[in-house]
Amino acid sequence: MSGTQATPLQLTQSENPCFKSSKSVSSTNGSINCMSGRDHESCHVPNPIIDYSMLISNDCLKRSQAINDLNQACLNYGFFAVTNHGIPDSLIGSVMNWLSKFFNQSDEEKRRYDTNDPTDRIRFRWGGRTQRELLHMRAHPTFHCPTKPADSMVLTEYCERMREMGMQLLRGISKSLGLEECYIENKMKLESGYNVFGPNYYPALSQSSDDKNQIGQFPHRDPGLLVLLAQNVGGGLQIEHQKKWLNADFPPSSIFVIVADHIEILTNGKYKSLLHRVALNSEVERMSLPFFFGPSLDVTVKPEPEFVDDHNPPSYRQMTYKAYLESNDHHVIEARANLNKIRL
C-alpha cells in the first residue's frame, strides 16, 4: 500500500579530491564481545571503526587512512561502526518517537499496511511468537511512508542522510578495492538505486518471560550493498565472526554498517556478506532502524571482471536485483536475501 509520497530524494554531492595510498592506522574504539554460555568461549574482538569525517575530509592522508580502514573492516569482519557522521542524535530520536507512535497505534490502523498487493510501497508485518513488528517503506527512488502519525518529514530527512552516507561509504569501498571511486555507483546505477527503510520493533520482555535470551530474528544475511543501522538501546544485535556469535556493542551515537549480499557477489566473494541475528535479551523495548542500500532494480549483478581470473572463477550466477528480491515468491519491499540460491 502507498501512503505519503514525496519527490525523489536528492543527494548532496561533495567534491572528491585525490586519494593517495598511506599506511593504515586502524581505529578500534568499540568492542565486540562473545556470548557467554556453555557453547561459547569468552573473548574480546576489536570493533572496526570508520571515522566518517576522515572519509569525506579534504585532507588526502586522512581520507586514505579511512579507505584503508574500510578495506580491513570489509575484508576481515564484514561490518563496522561509523562515527563522526554528523547525523544529530535529535534527528534519530525524532525518528524513534515517530515509529513508537506508529507501533503503538491500534492493530486495525497498522493492518492497513499488512497486505500482499504487488504494488505495495509500504508493508507491515507481525513477527509471530516473538511479537516483533516490522514496517518496510520504500525510501528511494521515491519515498513512501504511512499517513499516520503526522510529521513524517523526519523520516524523509533521516533517509536522505542515510542515503548520502551510504553513497560516500560505497565510494570509499570502491577505492578500497583499488577501483575508481564511482565504480560501484556507476555499475549498480545508484542514482536510481532501490532503498528500503525497514524499522523493527521488539516489545519489552518481563523478567519472567519464557522468551528471554531467545532469538528474536534468526541468523540471516541481507540483500543489497550495505545495511546502515541505528538502534535505541545497546545490545541485541549479534554477528558471526570466525564461527562464534558475538554481541555487537558499538559506540554511542554511531551507525552500525553491515556488508550485504550484492557486495559479496560483485567482488566474487572478496568482501563477504555478514551473517547476523537478534537476541531477545532486553527488559526495555528495542527499536532498530535498518536502511537497506541496494542497486537499481534493473541492474544485473554478477562477479565483475576485476575479481575473476583463472584462479578465481565466478562463484555466483548473474541475476537482476529485482529477480533476486523476488526469488522464492517474495516481494521486493520485503528485502529478503537468498544468496545460497545463486552460488555456483
Side-chain angles (χ1 to χ4, degrees):
M1 175 181 288
S2 295
T4 300
Q5 178 175 349
T7 56
L9 304 185
Q10 299 297 317
L11 287 179
T12 301
Q13 301 293 331
S14 64
E15 292 184 0
N16 295 282
C18 55
F19 286 91
K20 293 184 180 178
S21 175
S22 68
K23 186 174 181 180
S24 173
V25 181
S26 183
S27 176
T28 55
N29 299 322
S31 64
I32 301 289
N33 299 302
C34 284
M35 290 178 59
S36 60
R38 291 178 301 175
D39 301 325
H40 303 277
E41 300 176 8
S42 175
C43 69
H44 178 86
V45 179
N47 182 0
I49 304 293
I50 302 302
D51 186 329
Y52 189 73
S53 67
M54 292 173 61
L55 183 65
I56 63 173
S57 171
N58 288 329
D59 184 317
C60 296
L61 293 179
K62 289 182 178 180
R63 296 185 69 160
S64 181
Q65 178 177 319
I67 289 163
N68 284 330
D69 288 344
L70 269 174
N71 175 256
Q72 293 301 308
C74 293
L75 195 62
N76 298 318
Y77 296 95
F79 65 89
F80 49 87
V82 178
T83 60
N84 296 324
H85 47 69
I87 299 175
D89 287 345
S90 59
L91 175 59
I92 297 174
S94 295
V95 173
M96 295 287 186
N97 289 337
W98 189 97
L99 290 166
S100 181
K101 291 176 183 177
F102 174 85
F103 288 120
N104 282 289
Q105 292 180 116
S106 67
D107 289 349
E108 180 182 5
E109 181 64 32
K110 290 182 287 191
R111 282 198 182 98
R112 293 177 56 200
Y113 305 100
D114 185 14
T115 64
N116 288 301
D117 191 312
T119 65
D120 281 347
R121 301 294 181 267
I122 305 167
R123 187 167 285 187
F124 172 81
R125 288 288 186 265
W126 273 277
R129 180 183 63 82
T130 64
Q131 301 180 25
R132 168 185 170 227
E133 298 179 20
L134 60 156
L135 175 67
H136 278 196
M137 299 166 274
R138 190 174 82 173
H140 195 268
T142 54
F143 180 84
H144 301 260
C145 72
T147 55
K148 295 180 182 178
D151 303 322
S152 61
M153 287 302 295
V154 293
L155 303 187
T156 307
E157 182 180 355
Y158 179 80
C159 289
E160 287 176 341
R161 300 292 289 268
M162 287 293 104
R163 181 166 162 77
E164 182 177 351
M165 185 193 302
M167 192 72 83
Q168 293 289 358
L169 289 171
L170 287 169
R171 289 171 182 160
I173 288 172
S174 290
K175 292 296 294 184
S176 79
L177 291 163
L179 304 168
E180 294 295 324
E181 68 174 10
C182 292
Y183 181 90
I184 295 176
E185 186 175 345
N186 293 333
K187 284 282 186 180
M188 300 293 100
K189 295 170 61 174
L190 296 186
E191 184 177 347
S192 58
Y194 187 76
N195 303 155
V196 172
F197 181 40
N200 294 273
Y201 170 75
Y202 301 86
L205 299 172
S206 66
Q207 290 185 348
S208 60
S209 173
D210 292 335
D211 286 332
K212 189 173 178 64
N213 294 321
Q214 298 300 309
I215 299 303
Q217 194 172 0
F218 287 98
H220 65 285
R221 295 177 175 86
D222 289 316
L225 301 165
L226 299 173
V227 181
L228 286 70
L229 176 71
Q231 59 182 28
N232 67 329
V233 295
L237 179 66
Q238 297 177 344
I239 59 97
E240 187 188 55
H241 181 66
Q242 297 180 347
K243 299 184 179 181
K244 292 185 175 72
W245 283 106
L246 314 177
N247 292 318
D249 298 316
F250 40 104
S253 301
S254 65
I255 301 295
F256 195 80
V257 179
I258 293 170
V259 175
D261 291 356
H262 289 76
I263 286 288
E264 178 169 336
I265 297 167
L266 182 149
T267 64
N268 201 31
K270 180 172 182 176
Y271 289 171
K272 296 288 195 299
S273 182
L274 180 71
L275 188 66
H276 54 288
R277 68 185 186 185
V278 174
L280 297 174
N281 59 358
S282 177
E283 294 176 9
V284 297
E285 66 178 24
R286 177 181 184 271
M287 204 176 303
S288 64
L289 312 181
F291 185 87
F292 301 91
F293 198 107
S296 178
L297 289 175
D298 64 354
V299 165
T300 297
V301 187
K302 64 184 186 304
E304 292 299 329
E306 291 84 354
F307 306 99
V308 175
D309 57 33
D310 292 342
H311 301 289
N312 298 282
S315 297
Y316 311 89
R317 293 189 295 110
Q318 65 179 27
M319 183 180 288
T320 67
Y321 189 47
K322 183 175 188 292
Y324 184 90
L325 292 175
E326 292 177 338
S327 59
N328 290 344
D329 298 322
H330 293 302
H331 187 284
V332 292
I333 195 70
E334 295 180 82
R336 296 288 187 91
N338 203 2
L339 192 60
N340 289 335
K341 187 172 182 178
I342 67 168
R343 292 186 195 274
L344 295 174

